[in-house]
PDB file of all heavy atoms in Angstrom:
ATOM      1  N   ALA W   3     105.795  80.272 100.345  1.00  0.00           N
ATOM      2  CA  ALA W   3     106.449  81.218  99.435  1.00  0.00           C
ATOM      3  C   ALA W   3     105.490  82.337  99.050  1.00  0.00           C
ATOM      4  O   ALA W   3     105.879  83.507  98.985  1.00  0.00           O
ATOM      5  CB  ALA W   3     106.958  80.483  98.197  1.00  0.00           C
ATOM      6  N   ALA W   4     104.218  82.003  98.819  1.00  0.00           N
ATOM      7  CA  ALA W   4     103.232  83.017  98.441  1.00  0.00           C
ATOM      8  C   ALA W   4     103.007  84.005  99.583  1.00  0.00           C
ATOM      9  O   ALA W   4     102.944  85.217  99.355  1.00  0.00           O
ATOM     10  CB  ALA W   4     101.914  82.359  98.043  1.00  0.00           C
ATOM     11  N   LEU W   5     102.890  83.505 100.796  1.00  0.00           N
ATOM     12  CA  LEU W   5     102.716  84.380 101.951  1.00  0.00           C
ATOM     13  C   LEU W   5     103.938  85.273 102.127  1.00  0.00           C
ATOM     14  O   LEU W   5     103.800  86.475 102.348  1.00  0.00           O
ATOM     15  CB  LEU W   5     102.479  83.559 103.223  1.00  0.00           C
ATOM     16  CG  LEU W   5     102.400  84.363 104.524  1.00  0.00           C
ATOM     17  CD1 LEU W   5     101.215  85.320 104.491  1.00  0.00           C
ATOM     18  CD2 LEU W   5     102.324  83.441 105.713  1.00  0.00           C
ATOM     19  N   ASN W   6     105.123  84.705 102.020  1.00  0.00           N
ATOM     20  CA  ASN W   6     106.344  85.494 102.156  1.00  0.00           C
ATOM     21  C   ASN W   6     106.414  86.590 101.101  1.00  0.00           C
ATOM     22  O   ASN W   6     106.817  87.713 101.411  1.00  0.00           O
ATOM     23  CB  ASN W   6     107.579  84.600 102.091  1.00  0.00           C
ATOM     24  CG  ASN W   6     107.784  83.803 103.365  1.00  0.00           C
ATOM     25  OD1 ASN W   6     107.276  84.160 104.419  1.00  0.00           O
ATOM     26  ND2 ASN W   6     108.528  82.719 103.267  1.00  0.00           N
ATOM     27  N   ARG W   7     106.019  86.296  99.866  1.00  0.00           N
ATOM     28  CA  ARG W   7     106.012  87.324  98.810  1.00  0.00           C
ATOM     29  C   ARG W   7     105.052  88.445  99.166  1.00  0.00           C
ATOM     30  O   ARG W   7     105.373  89.619  98.999  1.00  0.00           O
ATOM     31  CB  ARG W   7     105.631  86.713  97.454  1.00  0.00           C
ATOM     32  CG  ARG W   7     106.757  86.002  96.754  1.00  0.00           C
ATOM     33  CD  ARG W   7     106.400  85.655  95.319  1.00  0.00           C
ATOM     34  NE  ARG W   7     105.206  84.841  95.202  1.00  0.00           N
ATOM     35  CZ  ARG W   7     105.193  83.508  95.280  1.00  0.00           C
ATOM     36  NH1 ARG W   7     106.316  82.845  95.460  1.00  0.00           N
ATOM     37  NH2 ARG W   7     104.064  82.846  95.167  1.00  0.00           N
ATOM     38  N   ASP W   8     103.882  88.105  99.680  1.00  0.00           N
ATOM     39  CA  ASP W   8     102.896  89.122 100.065  1.00  0.00           C
ATOM     40  C   ASP W   8     103.412  89.996 101.204  1.00  0.00           C
ATOM     41  O   ASP W   8     103.259  91.217 101.180  1.00  0.00           O
ATOM     42  CB  ASP W   8     101.573  88.475 100.481  1.00  0.00           C
ATOM     43  CG  ASP W   8     100.820  87.858  99.314  1.00  0.00           C
ATOM     44  OD1 ASP W   8     101.127  88.198  98.143  1.00  0.00           O
ATOM     45  OD2 ASP W   8      99.936  87.031  99.567  1.00  0.00           O
ATOM     46  N   VAL W   9     104.016  89.368 102.192  1.00  0.00           N
ATOM     47  CA  VAL W   9     104.537  90.117 103.336  1.00  0.00           C
ATOM     48  C   VAL W   9     105.676  91.034 102.893  1.00  0.00           C
ATOM     49  O   VAL W   9     105.708  92.216 103.246  1.00  0.00           O
ATOM     50  CB  VAL W   9     104.992  89.157 104.459  1.00  0.00           C
ATOM     51  CG1 VAL W   9     105.773  89.903 105.530  1.00  0.00           C
ATOM     52  CG2 VAL W   9     103.792  88.445 105.051  1.00  0.00           C
ATOM     53  N   VAL W  10     106.594  90.518 102.117  1.00  0.00           N
ATOM     54  CA  VAL W  10     107.724  91.325 101.651  1.00  0.00           C
ATOM     55  C   VAL W  10     107.226  92.479 100.795  1.00  0.00           C
ATOM     56  O   VAL W  10     107.715  93.607 100.913  1.00  0.00           O
ATOM     57  CB  VAL W  10     108.763  90.455 100.908  1.00  0.00           C
ATOM     58  CG1 VAL W  10     109.782  91.318 100.179  1.00  0.00           C
ATOM     59  CG2 VAL W  10     109.460  89.522 101.883  1.00  0.00           C
ATOM     60  N   ALA W  11     106.219  92.256  99.956  1.00  0.00           N
ATOM     61  CA  ALA W  11     105.673  93.336  99.120  1.00  0.00           C
ATOM     62  C   ALA W  11     105.078  94.441  99.992  1.00  0.00           C
ATOM     63  O   ALA W  11     105.212  95.631  99.684  1.00  0.00           O
ATOM     64  CB  ALA W  11     104.622  92.786  98.166  1.00  0.00           C
ATOM     65  N   ARG W  12     104.451  94.080 101.086  1.00  0.00           N
ATOM     66  CA  ARG W  12     103.851  95.069 101.997  1.00  0.00           C
ATOM     67  C   ARG W  12     104.915  95.806 102.808  1.00  0.00           C
ATOM     68  O   ARG W  12     104.803  97.002 103.071  1.00  0.00           O
ATOM     69  CB  ARG W  12     102.881  94.357 102.932  1.00  0.00           C
ATOM     70  CG  ARG W  12     102.210  95.270 103.904  1.00  0.00           C
ATOM     71  CD  ARG W  12     101.183  94.514 104.736  1.00  0.00           C
ATOM     72  NE  ARG W  12     100.988  95.253 105.966  1.00  0.00           N
ATOM     73  CZ  ARG W  12     100.889  94.727 107.152  1.00  0.00           C
ATOM     74  NH1 ARG W  12     100.946  93.430 107.293  1.00  0.00           N
ATOM     75  NH2 ARG W  12     100.711  95.469 108.207  1.00  0.00           N
ATOM     76  N   VAL W  13     105.951  95.097 103.192  1.00  0.00           N
ATOM     77  CA  VAL W  13     106.960  95.642 104.094  1.00  0.00           C
ATOM     78  C   VAL W  13     108.073  96.385 103.348  1.00  0.00           C
ATOM     79  O   VAL W  13     108.648  97.334 103.882  1.00  0.00           O
ATOM     80  CB  VAL W  13     107.546  94.498 104.956  1.00  0.00           C
ATOM     81  CG1 VAL W  13     108.730  94.954 105.767  1.00  0.00           C
ATOM     82  CG2 VAL W  13     106.472  93.923 105.854  1.00  0.00           C
ATOM     83  N   ARG W  14     108.366  96.002 102.122  1.00  0.00           N
ATOM     84  CA  ARG W  14     109.514  96.566 101.404  1.00  0.00           C
ATOM     85  C   ARG W  14     109.512  98.098 101.353  1.00  0.00           C
ATOM     86  O   ARG W  14     110.555  98.708 101.616  1.00  0.00           O
ATOM     87  CB  ARG W  14     109.634  95.997  99.993  1.00  0.00           C
ATOM     88  CG  ARG W  14     110.904  96.523  99.299  1.00  0.00           C
ATOM     89  CD  ARG W  14     111.314  95.734  98.095  1.00  0.00           C
ATOM     90  NE  ARG W  14     111.485  94.317  98.291  1.00  0.00           N
ATOM     91  CZ  ARG W  14     112.533  93.739  98.891  1.00  0.00           C
ATOM     92  NH1 ARG W  14     113.487  94.468  99.393  1.00  0.00           N
ATOM     93  NH2 ARG W  14     112.611  92.431  99.001  1.00  0.00           N
ATOM     94  N   PRO W  15     108.397  98.789 101.060  1.00  0.00           N
ATOM     95  CA  PRO W  15     108.449 100.257 101.033  1.00  0.00           C
ATOM     96  C   PRO W  15     108.857 100.860 102.383  1.00  0.00           C
ATOM     97  O   PRO W  15     109.625 101.823 102.438  1.00  0.00           O
ATOM     98  CB  PRO W  15     107.029 100.672 100.659  1.00  0.00           C
ATOM     99  CG  PRO W  15     106.426  99.485 100.018  1.00  0.00           C
ATOM    100  CD  PRO W  15     107.085  98.288 100.638  1.00  0.00           C
ATOM    101  N   VAL W  16     108.366 100.284 103.464  1.00  0.00           N
ATOM    102  CA  VAL W  16     108.727 100.765 104.800  1.00  0.00           C
ATOM    103  C   VAL W  16     110.198 100.480 105.066  1.00  0.00           C
ATOM    104  O   VAL W  16     110.921 101.315 105.611  1.00  0.00           O
ATOM    105  CB  VAL W  16     107.832 100.114 105.876  1.00  0.00           C
ATOM    106  CG1 VAL W  16     108.266 100.511 107.276  1.00  0.00           C
ATOM    107  CG2 VAL W  16     106.381 100.472 105.629  1.00  0.00           C
ATOM    108  N   TRP W  17     110.649  99.310 104.645  1.00  0.00           N
ATOM    109  CA  TRP W  17     112.049  98.930 104.832  1.00  0.00           C
ATOM    110  C   TRP W  17     112.978  99.884 104.079  1.00  0.00           C
ATOM    111  O   TRP W  17     113.989 100.337 104.631  1.00  0.00           O
ATOM    112  CB  TRP W  17     112.259  97.496 104.342  1.00  0.00           C
ATOM    113  CG  TRP W  17     113.615  96.960 104.654  1.00  0.00           C
ATOM    114  CD1 TRP W  17     114.663  96.826 103.799  1.00  0.00           C
ATOM    115  CD2 TRP W  17     114.080  96.495 105.915  1.00  0.00           C
ATOM    116  NE1 TRP W  17     115.739  96.300 104.448  1.00  0.00           N
ATOM    117  CE2 TRP W  17     115.409  96.089 105.752  1.00  0.00           C
ATOM    118  CE3 TRP W  17     113.497  96.383 107.173  1.00  0.00           C
ATOM    119  CZ2 TRP W  17     116.168  95.578 106.799  1.00  0.00           C
ATOM    120  CZ3 TRP W  17     114.256  95.876 108.199  1.00  0.00           C
ATOM    121  CH2 TRP W  17     115.570  95.480 108.011  1.00  0.00           C
ATOM    122  N   MET W  18     112.626 100.210 102.854  1.00  0.00           N
ATOM    123  CA  MET W  18     113.458 101.112 102.052  1.00  0.00           C
ATOM    124  C   MET W  18     113.519 102.496 102.700  1.00  0.00           C
ATOM    125  O   MET W  18     114.582 103.116 102.745  1.00  0.00           O
ATOM    126  CB  MET W  18     112.929 101.199 100.621  1.00  0.00           C
ATOM    127  CG  MET W  18     112.953  99.880  99.871  1.00  0.00           C
ATOM    128  SD  MET W  18     114.575  99.120  99.760  1.00  0.00           S
ATOM    129  CE  MET W  18     115.371 100.252  98.665  1.00  0.00           C
ATOM    130  N   GLU W  19     112.392 102.972 103.202  1.00  0.00           N
ATOM    131  CA  GLU W  19     112.364 104.264 103.889  1.00  0.00           C
ATOM    132  C   GLU W  19     113.227 104.217 105.148  1.00  0.00           C
ATOM    133  O   GLU W  19     114.004 105.135 105.422  1.00  0.00           O
ATOM    134  CB  GLU W  19     110.929 104.632 104.260  1.00  0.00           C
ATOM    135  CG  GLU W  19     110.804 105.934 105.011  1.00  0.00           C
ATOM    136  CD  GLU W  19     109.391 106.202 105.479  1.00  0.00           C
ATOM    137  OE1 GLU W  19     108.434 105.762 104.810  1.00  0.00           O
ATOM    138  OE2 GLU W  19     109.246 106.855 106.518  1.00  0.00           O
ATOM    139  N   LEU W  20     113.095 103.141 105.914  1.00  0.00           N
ATOM    140  CA  LEU W  20     113.876 102.979 107.135  1.00  0.00           C
ATOM    141  C   LEU W  20     115.371 102.966 106.820  1.00  0.00           C
ATOM    142  O   LEU W  20     116.160 103.649 107.484  1.00  0.00           O
ATOM    143  CB  LEU W  20     113.472 101.689 107.855  1.00  0.00           C
ATOM    144  CG  LEU W  20     114.218 101.363 109.139  1.00  0.00           C
ATOM    145  CD1 LEU W  20     113.852 102.354 110.237  1.00  0.00           C
ATOM    146  CD2 LEU W  20     113.922  99.943 109.577  1.00  0.00           C
ATOM    147  N   MET W  21     115.773 102.227 105.812  1.00  0.00           N
ATOM    148  CA  MET W  21     117.188 102.101 105.480  1.00  0.00           C
ATOM    149  C   MET W  21     117.776 103.407 104.951  1.00  0.00           C
ATOM    150  O   MET W  21     118.994 103.611 105.011  1.00  0.00           O
ATOM    151  CB  MET W  21     117.406 100.961 104.481  1.00  0.00           C
ATOM    152  CG  MET W  21     117.007  99.592 105.030  1.00  0.00           C
ATOM    153  SD  MET W  21     117.664  99.203 106.668  1.00  0.00           S
ATOM    154  CE  MET W  21     119.387  99.051 106.319  1.00  0.00           C
ATOM    155  N   ALA W  22     116.931 104.310 104.449  1.00  0.00           N
ATOM    156  CA  ALA W  22     117.406 105.602 103.945  1.00  0.00           C
ATOM    157  C   ALA W  22     117.684 106.593 105.078  1.00  0.00           C
ATOM    158  O   ALA W  22     118.343 107.609 104.866  1.00  0.00           O
ATOM    159  CB  ALA W  22     116.384 106.190 102.977  1.00  0.00           C
ATOM    160  N   LEU W  23     117.201 106.291 106.267  1.00  0.00           N
ATOM    161  CA  LEU W  23     117.402 107.181 107.418  1.00  0.00           C
ATOM    162  C   LEU W  23     118.813 107.015 107.978  1.00  0.00           C
ATOM    163  O   LEU W  23     119.432 105.961 107.814  1.00  0.00           O
ATOM    164  CB  LEU W  23     116.391 106.846 108.522  1.00  0.00           C
ATOM    165  CG  LEU W  23     114.927 107.095 108.219  1.00  0.00           C
ATOM    166  CD1 LEU W  23     114.066 106.528 109.342  1.00  0.00           C
ATOM    167  CD2 LEU W  23     114.662 108.570 108.015  1.00  0.00           C
ATOM    168  N   PRO W  24     119.295 108.034 108.688  1.00  0.00           N
ATOM    169  CA  PRO W  24     120.562 107.860 109.404  1.00  0.00           C
ATOM    170  C   PRO W  24     120.428 106.727 110.430  1.00  0.00           C
ATOM    171  O   PRO W  24     119.339 106.463 110.952  1.00  0.00           O
ATOM    172  CB  PRO W  24     120.766 109.198 110.118  1.00  0.00           C
ATOM    173  CG  PRO W  24     119.886 110.175 109.405  1.00  0.00           C
ATOM    174  CD  PRO W  24     118.740 109.379 108.854  1.00  0.00           C
ATOM    175  N   ARG W  25     121.533 106.082 110.716  1.00  0.00           N
ATOM    176  CA  ARG W  25     121.531 104.915 111.613  1.00  0.00           C
ATOM    177  C   ARG W  25     120.841 105.213 112.954  1.00  0.00           C
ATOM    178  O   ARG W  25     120.075 104.386 113.456  1.00  0.00           O
ATOM    179  CB  ARG W  25     122.982 104.472 111.858  1.00  0.00           C
ATOM    180  CG  ARG W  25     123.115 103.266 112.730  1.00  0.00           C
ATOM    181  CD  ARG W  25     123.117 102.036 111.920  1.00  0.00           C
ATOM    182  NE  ARG W  25     123.415 100.884 112.763  1.00  0.00           N
ATOM    183  CZ  ARG W  25     123.067  99.676 112.438  1.00  0.00           C
ATOM    184  NH1 ARG W  25     122.462  99.470 111.303  1.00  0.00           N
ATOM    185  NH2 ARG W  25     123.337  98.670 113.218  1.00  0.00           N
ATOM    186  N   ALA W  26     121.087 106.384 113.518  1.00  0.00           N
ATOM    187  CA  ALA W  26     120.478 106.727 114.807  1.00  0.00           C
ATOM    188  C   ALA W  26     118.956 106.747 114.713  1.00  0.00           C
ATOM    189  O   ALA W  26     118.259 106.254 115.609  1.00  0.00           O
ATOM    190  CB  ALA W  26     120.995 108.071 115.316  1.00  0.00           C
TER     191      ALA W  26
END
């Protein structure tokens, strides 16, 4: 759980940026 929290914290900003882009 601790590792998953660390990974998600690192990845979440990139994920949010990616999801804001048009699907293409």
Side-chain angles (χ1 to χ4, degrees):
L5 175 63
N6 285 339
R7 280 191 303 274
D8 290 343
V9 169
V10 168
R12 180 176 157 222
V13 172
R14 184 163 306 284
V16 175
W17 187 257
M18 298 303 291
E19 178 186 330
L20 179 69
M21 297 311 292
L23 294 172
R25 182 91 173 157

